[in-house]
Amino acid sequence: MKGYLRGMFYWVCCLEKLFFSILGGVVVVFAVFAFVDKDMEQFYRWTLSYMPMMGVIFFIAGGINIANEQIPMVMSLGTTRKEAAWGVIIAMHGTALQFWILTIVYNAFLPPTYVVDSYVKVCGVLFLFGCAGGNGLGAVVLRFGSKVGLRVYLCSLFLLVGGGIFIVKLAGAAAVISFISSMGVLVAAILFDAAVSAVYRMSIRNYEVRV
Amino acid sequence: MKEERLTGKGIVKTYGKKDVLHNVDLELEKGKIYGLIGRNGAGKTTLLSILSAQNPATKGTVDYNGMPVWENREALDHICFSREINPVNNSKANGYRAKDYLKAASIYMPGWDQEFADRLVKEFELDVKKRAAKMSKGMLSMITIIIALASKADYTFLDEPVAGLDVVMREYFYRTLLEEFTNSGRTFVISTHIIEEAADVFEEVIMLDKGNVILKENTQELLGRARHISGLAENVDRASAGLLTFHEETMGRSKGVTVLLKEGEKIEGGTELSVQPMNLQQVFVALCGKNEN
C-alpha cells in the first residue's frame, strides 16, 4: 500500500504542477482581458472554445510525456510496474475529474448569454476520451518505444483534428455537440477508457528500464 | 538468524537472438563492498538491472532473503540501483533538473536521508536547479551518487559512478562510501572501469566476461594467488607447467604469463625467473583481455 501511495503522490504532484501552470496562464490572460482590454466577451468565447481542446491536449501530451520520461525515471527508483501503472491511471483520471469540476464551476459563473447547452457534459466526455487517448499513447510508448509512439500520436492527431473539422463542417457544431452529449457516447467513452486502462497495465508488465 | 542475502540463480538474458547473460549464479552477502568489473558489453549493467528488478530476466530467479525480487515491494524497498542519467531523453534534451531527480528519489525511497542528501549536494557543489541537458558527465554522476548514498538501501548498486568525476571528487566519493559503509553496514556493488583506484575499496571482486561470471573472490585472496612470471620461454614453461595460466606474452626468446595459484601450489624457478605480484587491473586484463589462452 505504501508503494502505491508514494507513487500516487509523485504523479499527482507532477500533474498538479502542470495543471496549475496552465491555470496560471489562463488567469493572466483573464487579467489582461478584464483589466487592460476590458472586453470580457472575447475572453468568454475564447475560454469556451479552448477549454475542452486544452483539456484533451493536456492528457494526450501528458500521457506520452509520462511514458517517455517519467516512467523510466520512477522505474529506476525502485517502484514496481503495477504501482507505476495504477499511479498513472488514477492520477490521470483524477486530473480529468479536476478539469471537469473546473468546467462546472466556470459554467456556473458564466453570464447566461454565454452558457452553451450540454457544454459541461460534452467537456466531461472529451476529457474522458482525452485521458484514455493519453493513456493509450502511453501504452504504445511503453510497449513499442517512443519512435512508434510518436508516429501513432501524429497519425491520431491528424485523423482526430482533420476528422473533427470535417465532421463539424458537414453536420454543424450543434449536431456534433448533441451527439457527443448523448448517453451512448458517454457509455462508449467509459468502456473505451476502461479498456485502455487495462491495456496500459498490460503494456508495462515487462517494461525494461533503459538509459 | 537467517543472514540477509541477495541471490541470483541461473540468470539468462536474451535480446533477440543474442544472449547477454549466460546462466549467471551470484550470491551477494550483506555488509560487503563488491566490485563488478568487466569489459564494455560484458553485461554488467544488465546484471545489475535484473538484480534490482528494473529489467526482467529471460530465465532464472533473483531472491532477496528468499523472497522473489520481481514486482515485490517488500524486497525492492531494500534495493537501490542508481542508474546513469542521460542528458538526452528519447532524442530530446533532458529537461529534468537535479532537484527533480532528488525529489522523486525522496518520494520513492523509503529510507531516504534528506539531511545526508543535502550534505552531499553541498560537498559536491552541485547546482540542483541546473537541467540535466546542460550538465557535464561528472555532474550527472554526482546525482547518481547522491541518490545511491542517500537512499540508505541495504543493497545499493552503482554503475560506473565515478565516470566524469575529477580526481578530487573521486577521492571524496570513495571516502564517503567507506564512511557510509562503516556506519551502516550496507552492501554496495560498484561497477567501474577505473579498477586500480577502486581496488582498495572492494572487499570482493566479481569479474564478468561475455555474460559469464568468471570469478567471484575476496580481493586480497585473489591478489595473493595471482602472479606474473617472466623470463626465458623454456624456463617460464617449466615453472608454469600444471598451473592455471592466462595471457601469454612472447617477445623473442622471452615470455611472460599470468598464473592463478590454487591452494598449495607454488612456482618453482629460482633466480632464472621474475615472479611479480599483480594488481587487480593487471589480473583483470590477463583474464578478460585479448590474446588470452
Side-chain angles (χ1 to χ4, degrees), chain A residues 112-167:
Chain A
T113 44
Y114 296 102
V115 172
V116 176
D117 277 343
S118 309
Y119 181 75
V120 167
K121 221 189 249 181
V122 166
C123 283
V125 171
L126 288 176
F127 295 156
L128 196 55
F129 270 119
C131 185
N135 283 337
L137 284 166
V140 171
V141 169
L142 291 173
R143 182 65 185 81
F144 300 108
S146 61
K147 280 189 184 144
V148 173
L150 183 64
R151 283 176 200 149
V152 171
Y153 166 63
L154 291 172
C155 291
S156 316
L157 201 64
F158 175 76
L159 288 168
L160 270 170
V161 173
I165 292 170
F166 176 73
I167 289 168

Short mmCIF file of all heavy atoms in Angstrom, two decimals, chain A residues 112-167:
data_model
loop_
_atom_site.label_atom_id
_atom_site.label_comp_id
_atom_site.label_asym_id
_atom_site.label_seq_id
_atom_site.Cartn_x
_atom_site.Cartn_y
_atom_site.Cartn_z
N PRO A 112 -25.33 34.32 -18.35
CA PRO A 112 -26.29 33.43 -19.02
C PRO A 112 -26.21 33.44 -20.54
O PRO A 112 -26.42 32.42 -21.18
CB PRO A 112 -27.66 33.94 -18.54
CG PRO A 112 -27.40 34.66 -17.28
CD PRO A 112 -25.99 35.21 -17.39
N THR A 113 -25.85 34.59 -21.11
CA THR A 113 -25.81 34.68 -22.58
C THR A 113 -24.73 33.79 -23.19
O THR A 113 -24.79 33.43 -24.37
CB THR A 113 -25.54 36.12 -23.05
OG1 THR A 113 -24.50 36.67 -22.22
CG2 THR A 113 -26.79 36.97 -22.95
N TYR A 114 -23.74 33.42 -22.39
CA TYR A 114 -22.63 32.62 -22.93
C TYR A 114 -22.76 31.14 -22.63
O TYR A 114 -22.01 30.33 -23.15
CB TYR A 114 -21.30 33.13 -22.36
CG TYR A 114 -20.99 34.54 -22.77
CD1 TYR A 114 -21.19 35.60 -21.88
CD2 TYR A 114 -20.55 34.83 -24.06
CE1 TYR A 114 -20.93 36.90 -22.27
CE2 TYR A 114 -20.29 36.13 -24.45
CZ TYR A 114 -20.49 37.16 -23.55
OH TYR A 114 -20.24 38.45 -23.94
N VAL A 115 -23.73 30.77 -21.79
CA VAL A 115 -23.86 29.36 -21.41
C VAL A 115 -24.35 28.55 -22.61
O VAL A 115 -25.34 28.92 -23.26
CB VAL A 115 -24.84 29.20 -20.22
CG1 VAL A 115 -25.11 27.72 -19.95
CG2 VAL A 115 -24.27 29.86 -18.97
N VAL A 116 -23.64 27.47 -22.89
CA VAL A 116 -23.99 26.58 -24.01
C VAL A 116 -24.63 25.32 -23.44
O VAL A 116 -24.12 24.76 -22.48
CB VAL A 116 -22.72 26.22 -24.83
CG1 VAL A 116 -23.05 25.22 -25.93
CG2 VAL A 116 -22.07 27.47 -25.39
N ASP A 117 -25.72 24.90 -24.07
CA ASP A 117 -26.38 23.66 -23.62
C ASP A 117 -25.42 22.49 -23.70
O ASP A 117 -24.70 22.34 -24.68
CB ASP A 117 -27.59 23.35 -24.53
CG ASP A 117 -28.80 24.14 -24.07
OD1 ASP A 117 -28.79 24.64 -22.93
OD2 ASP A 117 -29.74 24.28 -24.88
N SER A 118 -25.49 21.64 -22.71
CA SER A 118 -24.69 20.40 -22.70
C SER A 118 -23.18 20.64 -22.71
O SER A 118 -22.42 19.71 -22.94
CB SER A 118 -25.02 19.51 -23.91
OG SER A 118 -26.37 19.31 -24.03
N TYR A 119 -22.76 21.87 -22.47
CA TYR A 119 -21.32 22.16 -22.53
C TYR A 119 -20.54 21.34 -21.51
O TYR A 119 -19.51 20.76 -21.82
CB TYR A 119 -21.08 23.66 -22.29
CG TYR A 119 -19.63 24.06 -22.36
CD1 TYR A 119 -18.98 24.14 -23.59
CD2 TYR A 119 -18.91 24.35 -21.20
CE1 TYR A 119 -17.64 24.50 -23.66
CE2 TYR A 119 -17.58 24.70 -21.27
CZ TYR A 119 -16.95 24.79 -22.49
OH TYR A 119 -15.62 25.15 -22.56
N VAL A 120 -21.08 21.29 -20.30
CA VAL A 120 -20.38 20.55 -19.23
C VAL A 120 -20.29 19.06 -19.57
O VAL A 120 -19.26 18.42 -19.40
CB VAL A 120 -21.10 20.77 -17.88
CG1 VAL A 120 -20.60 19.79 -16.83
CG2 VAL A 120 -20.89 22.20 -17.39
N LYS A 121 -21.42 18.54 -20.10
CA LYS A 121 -21.45 17.11 -20.45
C LYS A 121 -20.43 16.82 -21.56
O LYS A 121 -19.69 15.84 -21.50
CB LYS A 121 -22.85 16.77 -20.95
CG LYS A 121 -23.39 15.44 -20.45
CD LYS A 121 -24.66 15.08 -21.15
CE LYS A 121 -25.85 15.13 -20.25
NZ LYS A 121 -27.10 14.76 -20.89
N VAL A 122 -20.43 17.66 -22.57
CA VAL A 122 -19.50 17.47 -23.71
C VAL A 122 -18.05 17.53 -23.22
O VAL A 122 -17.23 16.70 -23.60
CB VAL A 122 -19.75 18.54 -24.80
CG1 VAL A 122 -18.62 18.58 -25.80
CG2 VAL A 122 -21.07 18.26 -25.51
N CYS A 123 -17.76 18.51 -22.37
CA CYS A 123 -16.38 18.62 -21.83
C CYS A 123 -16.02 17.35 -21.07
O CYS A 123 -14.90 16.83 -21.22
CB CYS A 123 -16.26 19.83 -20.91
SG CYS A 123 -16.16 21.38 -21.80
N GLY A 124 -16.94 16.85 -20.26
CA GLY A 124 -16.67 15.63 -19.48
C GLY A 124 -16.32 14.46 -20.39
O GLY A 124 -15.35 13.73 -20.13
N VAL A 125 -17.11 14.29 -21.45
CA VAL A 125 -16.86 13.18 -22.39
C VAL A 125 -15.51 13.38 -23.09
O VAL A 125 -14.73 12.44 -23.23
CB VAL A 125 -18.01 13.08 -23.42
CG1 VAL A 125 -17.66 12.10 -24.52
CG2 VAL A 125 -19.29 12.64 -22.73
N LEU A 126 -15.24 14.62 -23.50
CA LEU A 126 -13.96 14.88 -24.19
C LEU A 126 -12.77 14.65 -23.28
O LEU A 126 -11.74 14.11 -23.71
CB LEU A 126 -13.95 16.32 -24.74
CG LEU A 126 -14.86 16.57 -25.95
CD1 LEU A 126 -14.83 18.04 -26.34
CD2 LEU A 126 -14.47 15.71 -27.14
N PHE A 127 -12.89 15.06 -22.01
CA PHE A 127 -11.78 14.85 -21.08
C PHE A 127 -11.54 13.36 -20.86
O PHE A 127 -10.40 12.90 -20.73
CB PHE A 127 -12.04 15.53 -19.73
CG PHE A 127 -12.10 17.03 -19.81
CD1 PHE A 127 -12.78 17.77 -18.85
CD2 PHE A 127 -11.46 17.73 -20.83
CE1 PHE A 127 -12.85 19.16 -18.92
CE2 PHE A 127 -11.52 19.11 -20.91
CZ PHE A 127 -12.22 19.83 -19.95
N LEU A 128 -12.65 12.60 -20.81
CA LEU A 128 -12.53 11.15 -20.62
C LEU A 128 -11.84 10.51 -21.83
O LEU A 128 -10.94 9.67 -21.68
CB LEU A 128 -13.92 10.55 -20.41
CG LEU A 128 -14.00 9.13 -19.84
CD1 LEU A 128 -13.24 9.03 -18.53
CD2 LEU A 128 -15.46 8.73 -19.62
N PHE A 129 -12.25 10.94 -23.03
CA PHE A 129 -11.59 10.44 -24.24
C PHE A 129 -10.12 10.87 -24.26
O PHE A 129 -9.25 10.13 -24.67
CB PHE A 129 -12.30 10.96 -25.50
CG PHE A 129 -13.40 10.06 -25.99
CD1 PHE A 129 -14.71 10.53 -26.06
CD2 PHE A 129 -13.14 8.77 -26.38
CE1 PHE A 129 -15.73 9.70 -26.51
CE2 PHE A 129 -14.16 7.93 -26.83
CZ PHE A 129 -15.45 8.40 -26.89
N GLY A 130 -9.87 12.11 -23.83
CA GLY A 130 -8.50 12.63 -23.79
C GLY A 130 -7.64 11.81 -22.84
O GLY A 130 -6.50 11.44 -23.17
N CYS A 131 -8.20 11.49 -21.68
CA CYS A 131 -7.49 10.69 -20.69
C CYS A 131 -7.19 9.31 -21.25
O CYS A 131 -6.06 8.80 -21.14
CB CYS A 131 -8.37 10.60 -19.44
SG CYS A 131 -7.62 9.79 -18.06
N ALA A 132 -8.20 8.71 -21.88
CA ALA A 132 -7.99 7.40 -22.49
C ALA A 132 -6.96 7.48 -23.62
O ALA A 132 -6.10 6.61 -23.76
CB ALA A 132 -9.31 6.85 -23.03
N GLY A 133 -7.06 8.54 -24.41
CA GLY A 133 -6.11 8.73 -25.51
C GLY A 133 -4.68 8.86 -25.00
O GLY A 133 -3.75 8.25 -25.52
N GLY A 134 -4.51 9.64 -23.94
CA GLY A 134 -3.18 9.83 -23.36
C GLY A 134 -2.62 8.52 -22.81
O GLY A 134 -1.46 8.19 -23.05
N ASN A 135 -3.46 7.79 -22.10
CA ASN A 135 -3.00 6.50 -21.55
C ASN A 135 -2.76 5.50 -22.67
O ASN A 135 -1.84 4.68 -22.59
CB ASN A 135 -4.03 5.95 -20.56
CG ASN A 135 -3.95 6.66 -19.22
OD1 ASN A 135 -2.92 7.24 -18.87
ND2 ASN A 135 -5.04 6.65 -18.47
N GLY A 136 -3.59 5.57 -23.71
CA GLY A 136 -3.39 4.67 -24.86
C GLY A 136 -2.07 4.92 -25.55
O GLY A 136 -1.32 3.98 -25.84
N LEU A 137 -1.76 6.18 -25.77
CA LEU A 137 -0.47 6.52 -26.40
C LEU A 137 0.68 6.16 -25.48
O LEU A 137 1.72 5.68 -25.93
CB LEU A 137 -0.43 8.00 -26.76
CG LEU A 137 -1.25 8.36 -28.00
CD1 LEU A 137 -1.44 9.86 -28.09
CD2 LEU A 137 -0.60 7.85 -29.26
N GLY A 138 0.47 6.36 -24.20
CA GLY A 138 1.48 5.96 -23.22
C GLY A 138 1.74 4.47 -23.28
O GLY A 138 2.88 4.02 -23.25
N ALA A 139 0.66 3.69 -23.43
CA ALA A 139 0.80 2.24 -23.53
C ALA A 139 1.60 1.85 -24.77
O ALA A 139 2.43 0.94 -24.73
CB ALA A 139 -0.57 1.57 -23.56
N VAL A 140 1.35 2.55 -25.87
CA VAL A 140 2.10 2.27 -27.11
C VAL A 140 3.59 2.56 -26.89
O VAL A 140 4.46 1.77 -27.29
CB VAL A 140 1.55 3.12 -28.28
CG1 VAL A 140 2.44 3.00 -29.51
CG2 VAL A 140 0.13 2.69 -28.63
N VAL A 141 3.89 3.66 -26.24
CA VAL A 141 5.29 4.03 -25.98
C VAL A 141 5.95 2.99 -25.08
O VAL A 141 7.08 2.56 -25.33
CB VAL A 141 5.38 5.43 -25.33
CG1 VAL A 141 6.78 5.71 -24.82
CG2 VAL A 141 4.97 6.50 -26.33
N LEU A 142 5.23 2.58 -24.04
CA LEU A 142 5.82 1.62 -23.09
C LEU A 142 6.07 0.27 -23.76
O LEU A 142 7.05 -0.40 -23.46
CB LEU A 142 4.89 1.43 -21.89
CG LEU A 142 4.76 2.62 -20.95
CD1 LEU A 142 3.68 2.37 -19.91
CD2 LEU A 142 6.08 2.92 -20.26
N ARG A 143 5.19 -0.11 -24.64
CA ARG A 143 5.29 -1.43 -25.25
C ARG A 143 6.22 -1.44 -26.46
O ARG A 143 7.00 -2.37 -26.66
CB ARG A 143 3.88 -1.90 -25.64
CG ARG A 143 3.82 -3.28 -26.25
CD ARG A 143 4.23 -4.39 -25.28
NE ARG A 143 4.26 -5.69 -25.93
CZ ARG A 143 5.26 -6.15 -26.66
NH1 ARG A 143 6.33 -5.41 -26.83
NH2 ARG A 143 5.20 -7.32 -27.23
N PHE A 144 6.13 -0.39 -27.29
CA PHE A 144 6.84 -0.40 -28.58
C PHE A 144 7.94 0.65 -28.69
O PHE A 144 8.66 0.66 -29.68
CB PHE A 144 5.84 -0.23 -29.73
CG PHE A 144 4.80 -1.31 -29.79
CD1 PHE A 144 3.48 -1.04 -29.44
CD2 PHE A 144 5.14 -2.59 -30.17
CE1 PHE A 144 2.52 -2.04 -29.48
CE2 PHE A 144 4.18 -3.60 -30.21
CZ PHE A 144 2.88 -3.33 -29.87
N GLY A 145 8.05 1.52 -27.72
CA GLY A 145 9.11 2.53 -27.77
C GLY A 145 8.59 3.88 -28.22
O GLY A 145 7.49 4.00 -28.77
N SER A 146 9.43 4.91 -28.03
CA SER A 146 8.97 6.28 -28.24
C SER A 146 8.82 6.62 -29.72
O SER A 146 7.96 7.42 -30.09
CB SER A 146 9.90 7.27 -27.57
OG SER A 146 11.18 7.14 -28.13
N LYS A 147 9.61 5.99 -30.58
CA LYS A 147 9.51 6.31 -32.02
C LYS A 147 8.15 5.87 -32.56
O LYS A 147 7.48 6.62 -33.27
CB LYS A 147 10.63 5.61 -32.80
CG LYS A 147 11.94 6.33 -32.71
CD LYS A 147 12.99 5.76 -33.67
CE LYS A 147 14.30 6.49 -33.43
NZ LYS A 147 15.47 5.63 -33.56
N VAL A 148 7.77 4.64 -32.22
CA VAL A 148 6.46 4.14 -32.66
C VAL A 148 5.36 4.99 -32.03
O VAL A 148 4.39 5.35 -32.69
CB VAL A 148 6.29 2.66 -32.28
CG1 VAL A 148 4.88 2.17 -32.58
CG2 VAL A 148 7.32 1.79 -33.00
N GLY A 149 5.54 5.32 -30.76
CA GLY A 149 4.55 6.15 -30.05
C GLY A 149 4.35 7.49 -30.73
O GLY A 149 3.22 7.96 -30.90
N LEU A 150 5.45 8.10 -31.17
CA LEU A 150 5.35 9.41 -31.84
C LEU A 150 4.60 9.28 -33.16
O LEU A 150 3.75 10.13 -33.49
CB LEU A 150 6.76 9.96 -32.08
CG LEU A 150 6.83 11.35 -32.69
CD1 LEU A 150 6.25 12.39 -31.74
CD2 LEU A 150 8.29 11.74 -33.03
N ARG A 151 4.88 8.21 -33.89
CA ARG A 151 4.18 8.02 -35.18
C ARG A 151 2.68 7.82 -34.95
O ARG A 151 1.86 8.40 -35.68
CB ARG A 151 4.74 6.81 -35.91
CG ARG A 151 6.05 7.11 -36.57
CD ARG A 151 6.67 5.88 -37.22
NE ARG A 151 8.09 6.13 -37.41
CZ ARG A 151 9.04 5.22 -37.38
NH1 ARG A 151 8.73 3.97 -37.18
NH2 ARG A 151 10.29 5.54 -37.54
N VAL A 152 2.34 7.01 -33.97
CA VAL A 152 0.92 6.78 -33.67
C VAL A 152 0.27 8.09 -33.24
O VAL A 152 -0.86 8.41 -33.64
CB VAL A 152 0.76 5.69 -32.58
CG1 VAL A 152 -0.68 5.60 -32.11
CG2 VAL A 152 1.25 4.35 -33.08
N TYR A 153 0.99 8.87 -32.43
CA TYR A 153 0.47 10.16 -31.96
C TYR A 153 0.18 11.10 -33.13
O TYR A 153 -0.91 11.68 -33.22
CB TYR A 153 1.48 10.78 -31.00
CG TYR A 153 1.26 12.24 -30.67
CD1 TYR A 153 0.12 12.66 -30.00
CD2 TYR A 153 2.19 13.20 -31.04
CE1 TYR A 153 -0.08 14.00 -29.69
CE2 TYR A 153 1.99 14.54 -30.73
CZ TYR A 153 0.86 14.92 -30.07
OH TYR A 153 0.65 16.25 -29.77
N LEU A 154 1.14 11.20 -34.05
CA LEU A 154 0.96 12.13 -35.17
C LEU A 154 -0.19 11.68 -36.08
O LEU A 154 -0.99 12.51 -36.53
CB LEU A 154 2.26 12.25 -35.97
CG LEU A 154 3.40 12.96 -35.24
CD1 LEU A 154 4.71 12.87 -36.00
CD2 LEU A 154 3.06 14.43 -34.98
N CYS A 155 -0.26 10.37 -36.32
CA CYS A 155 -1.37 9.85 -37.16
C CYS A 155 -2.71 10.11 -36.48
O CYS A 155 -3.67 10.56 -37.13
CB CYS A 155 -1.21 8.35 -37.40
SG CYS A 155 0.17 7.97 -38.46
N SER A 156 -2.76 9.83 -35.18
CA SER A 156 -4.03 10.01 -34.45
C SER A 156 -4.43 11.48 -34.46
O SER A 156 -5.61 11.81 -34.63
CB SER A 156 -3.89 9.58 -32.99
OG SER A 156 -3.22 8.39 -32.88
N LEU A 157 -3.44 12.35 -34.26
CA LEU A 157 -3.71 13.79 -34.23
C LEU A 157 -4.29 14.25 -35.56
O LEU A 157 -5.29 14.98 -35.61
CB LEU A 157 -2.40 14.52 -33.93
CG LEU A 157 -2.49 15.93 -33.39
CD1 LEU A 157 -3.14 15.92 -32.02
CD2 LEU A 157 -1.09 16.54 -33.28
N PHE A 158 -3.66 13.77 -36.62
CA PHE A 158 -4.10 14.14 -37.97
C PHE A 158 -5.54 13.69 -38.19
O PHE A 158 -6.38 14.46 -38.67
CB PHE A 158 -3.14 13.52 -38.99
CG PHE A 158 -3.55 13.73 -40.41
CD1 PHE A 158 -3.38 14.96 -41.03
CD2 PHE A 158 -4.14 12.69 -41.15
CE1 PHE A 158 -3.78 15.16 -42.34
CE2 PHE A 158 -4.53 12.90 -42.46
CZ PHE A 158 -4.36 14.14 -43.07
N LEU A 159 -5.80 12.42 -37.81
CA LEU A 159 -7.14 11.87 -38.03
C LEU A 159 -8.19 12.58 -37.16
O LEU A 159 -9.28 12.91 -37.63
CB LEU A 159 -7.15 10.36 -37.72
CG LEU A 159 -6.42 9.50 -38.74
CD1 LEU A 159 -6.24 8.08 -38.19
CD2 LEU A 159 -7.21 9.45 -40.04
N LEU A 160 -7.80 12.82 -35.91
CA LEU A 160 -8.76 13.43 -34.97
C LEU A 160 -9.09 14.86 -35.37
O LEU A 160 -10.26 15.23 -35.47
CB LEU A 160 -8.17 13.44 -33.56
CG LEU A 160 -8.46 12.21 -32.72
CD1 LEU A 160 -7.62 12.23 -31.44
CD2 LEU A 160 -9.93 12.12 -32.35
N VAL A 161 -8.02 15.65 -35.59
CA VAL A 161 -8.24 17.07 -35.89
C VAL A 161 -8.90 17.21 -37.26
O VAL A 161 -9.91 17.90 -37.42
CB VAL A 161 -6.91 17.85 -35.82
CG1 VAL A 161 -7.09 19.28 -36.30
CG2 VAL A 161 -6.35 17.84 -34.41
N GLY A 162 -8.30 16.49 -38.23
CA GLY A 162 -8.86 16.55 -39.58
C GLY A 162 -10.29 16.03 -39.61
O GLY A 162 -11.20 16.66 -40.18
N GLY A 163 -10.47 14.87 -38.99
CA GLY A 163 -11.80 14.27 -38.95
C GLY A 163 -12.80 15.14 -38.21
O GLY A 163 -13.94 15.32 -38.65
N GLY A 164 -12.34 15.73 -37.11
CA GLY A 164 -13.22 16.59 -36.31
C GLY A 164 -13.69 17.81 -37.09
O GLY A 164 -14.88 18.14 -37.11
N ILE A 165 -12.74 18.46 -37.76
CA ILE A 165 -13.09 19.66 -38.55
C ILE A 165 -14.06 19.28 -39.67
O ILE A 165 -15.06 19.97 -39.92
CB ILE A 165 -11.82 20.32 -39.13
CG1 ILE A 165 -10.97 20.91 -38.00
CG2 ILE A 165 -12.17 21.39 -40.16
CD1 ILE A 165 -9.59 21.37 -38.41
N PHE A 166 -13.79 18.17 -40.31
CA PHE A 166 -14.64 17.70 -41.43
C PHE A 166 -16.07 17.44 -40.94
O PHE A 166 -17.04 17.89 -41.56
CB PHE A 166 -14.02 16.44 -42.04
CG PHE A 166 -14.85 15.83 -43.13
CD1 PHE A 166 -14.94 16.43 -44.38
CD2 PHE A 166 -15.57 14.66 -42.90
CE1 PHE A 166 -15.71 15.87 -45.38
CE2 PHE A 166 -16.34 14.09 -43.90
CZ PHE A 166 -16.42 14.70 -45.15
N ILE A 167 -16.17 16.74 -39.82
CA ILE A 167 -17.49 16.37 -39.30
C ILE A 167 -18.27 17.61 -38.86
O ILE A 167 -19.46 17.74 -39.12
CB ILE A 167 -17.37 15.35 -38.13
CG1 ILE A 167 -16.92 14.00 -38.69
CG2 ILE A 167 -18.68 15.20 -37.38
CD1 ILE A 167 -16.48 13.00 -37.64
#
